[in-house]
Amino acid sequence: MTAPTTLSRSRFRYLCALLFCTGMTSLVFQIIWMRGFGIILGSTIYSMSCVVTVFMLGLALGSFLMSRLLKHGRWLAAHPLAAYGGVELLVGLSSLLVTWTVFTHQGFYLSLSGSPAAPLLQLLATQFTVCAALIAVPTTLMGMTLPLVSQLVTDRRQVSALYGVNTIGGATGSIVASFVLIYYLGCIRAGAVAAAVNALIFCAALLTSRYFPPVGAGAGDDAEAPSTTIPAEGRLLSRPLLLALAVFSGFIALSCEITWTRFLSLCFGNRVYVTSITLALILLFMGQAARMSSALLRGPNPLWRILLYSCSLTLISFSAAFLLERHALQATHPGLVVLFILLMVVFPATALGLLFPMTLAARPAGVGNPASWVGLVYGFNTLASLVGSLASGYVLINLIGSNGLIAFNSALLVVSLGGLAYAFRPHFRLSDHALGGVALLGFLTIILPRSADVPPVVDAERAVVRSEDAHGIFSVVRMDEGRLRVLNNRTDLVYLYGDPITQYVQESQAYFPLLYAPKMEKVLNIGSGYGITAGAFSRVAEVRSIEAVEIVPALVEHADLFSPGNHRYFDNPRIQVHVTDGRHFLATTSERYDVISINVSDPYLPGSSSLFSREFYELARARLRPGGVLAQHIFGPDIASLYHGIHEVFPHVKAIPAYGNGLTLIASVEDLQPHQREVFLRQYDEGRALFDPIGLKEGLAGFEKLVALGDKRLAELNAKAPDFQNSDDMPTLEFRRLPGKVGLFYSNN
């Protein structure tokens, strides 16, 4: 059968619909895997970057492989739509298998994931190996789809539109996964729905493949070439320069995405929905730009001028955003926040989104197989995206921060402007010089001078500490009466230091479980925060070993700010501090503890919510010695459900009042008795030596009155049925839609 000279609009739209669904299912699986690997590898910035890296590497590998296969595989070249359907079916089956095994065989993968105490490079290598072993196959298959479908397109500009639709499908998948599938169905069943869509794509592609014969080699290559071209254009359309452009666009897009995600979380908070909306927003406008690119290529402007506009407008947009940064990040006016997002994210995402699809469409002369070129360019672009993600997420964000990373990417844009100006100087118009000059001026006078600044989340005049690393922007702010407020990005990590209630609650999380533990030799404190709880443990001489785990490095680095409240725990030889994810540490340690005390700032935050799941409590129970106790602070509108989640695994529970409506619970599989009462009476002046500094002047008697009050609260909670059950597969807490208009996005901000 002879290949048609054009692809009808209805058939092209059909291919767009298929690729839209392909992009959607891929992002659904990516979001599910990000959560699953957060449990297996730990909810740290490095483990999450590891997942993204392997995902991008798989896409690049798949694209390169398909590029080679299309050159030499006769059946693939003759039946591209049927092959695409088969690949989609394999994507669905392999991705569903990965999803199922991640959430049902955590113990096995945890045993392979490495100890948090291992050197960073060794830990990253181990985590990379685990990720690659699980998702390399499905992600490689995902990378094969666009080159296969492009084999059917006669107009090379339509390839850019297909890529754009695929990207917009990814944006839709990001929203659908978080707001619908995981929220209502849980992770495994959400993966099953995505796999079912892959199966439908397979059926549709197989049934219609005979209506889509492949494009012959070279067909359509020059069918719609512009009638007039600029002679110098040929230099830009050379194969090496086009591949270099693919590398440049991939690196800068992923590097900017890291900072865009941070800036949007600074504006809206750290809820899981913010992450999904950020990803959707970026993909949506980059995808729309890809769709625009085909129309721009049909216009009168040559490709080099479109690139000039894209780079210049991105620089101008970043410059304007930097002028609004303080007002937006300190939320002085909602309108300025929206304008900041447009200038920092939306306009640059649209401009930068033009670069890669232009490369796809501007195929150099002499390319025999269009789909093979698409696979090659897509592979280079994705590989560069991987490098951009790695370099920015692991190195640059730590060295130069968010503003510095924007400045770094802006410098790359300036270099590209310089290259365009030199290569096409005979063809520059006055407007080209003006636009490039304004962009360069904005870089030199606005972006570069602010590159060393930490984004102003808090007022610098009130800040004791402002620092930034891969984990976020850490701030310590001086409040009234000598109190300190501690934030990571815009989330309060702990209640105010220096407030009496803070000292009472956090020291109680040591004394309360110790009183009821049969032995108190070895304890673990997850979420050490200020270090007050770890310091309180050290005040009890009978405690021989204390391990304190904190995920935010800056809290440990600045622990001396929180003295004397934390009793200088960091200088105590009995205390060993670990900077890592608490759940991952607990899962990978072989130690057993008399007491495990957990203090998490917000049960609704990504990562934190996994410390309130049924699987976590079962893990904690397995790490306790016989009769050992678990202590945890619970609070908020879902306090009844949080209590029942603990009570289902630990049948015996006691409580004392904490912050507001909160409770400090202790729980055990054995009956709770005050085993250490005599020790407290005899060794610690009837408990006064420990309890007087936190406001309990009656010593142990006053503490026992609090336990009586807690018993009354527990009776009330027992009478209420839980609204939900939180598990790793059904992470209701993390995706909980809190009351109020802003509750959907905000946590405790």
Side-chain angles (χ1 to χ4, degrees), residues 62-78:
S63 184
F64 281 128
L65 283 175
M66 187 51 65
S67 173
R68 302 297 300 171
L69 290 172
L70 285 170
K71 283 185 176 180
H72 307 292
R74 293 184 179 180
W75 189 90
L76 284 176

Side-chain angles (χ1 to χ4, degrees), residues 497-539:
Y497 174 76
D499 196 298
I501 190 67
T502 304
Q503 203 72 24
Y504 153 72
V505 171
Q506 296 197 27
E507 291 210 29
S508 294
Q509 279 205 230
Y511 306 139
F512 188 26
L514 286 177
L515 177 62
Y516 282 84
K519 293 183 179 180
M520 47 182 179
E521 295 178 355
K522 191 173 183 62
V523 303
L524 173 65
N525 176 208
I526 295 177
S528 58
Y530 298 138
I532 293 174
T533 302
F537 277 123
S538 71
R539 296 187 66 209

Side-chain angles (χ1 to χ4, degrees), residues 46 262 397-398 401-402 467-474 488 552-554 557:
Y46 300 116
R262 174 157 296 181
I397 196 72
N398 281 311
S402 300
S467 63
E468 184 177 13
D469 58 19
H471 298 264
I473 297 172
F474 180 80
N488 194 60
V552 179
E557 293 167 9

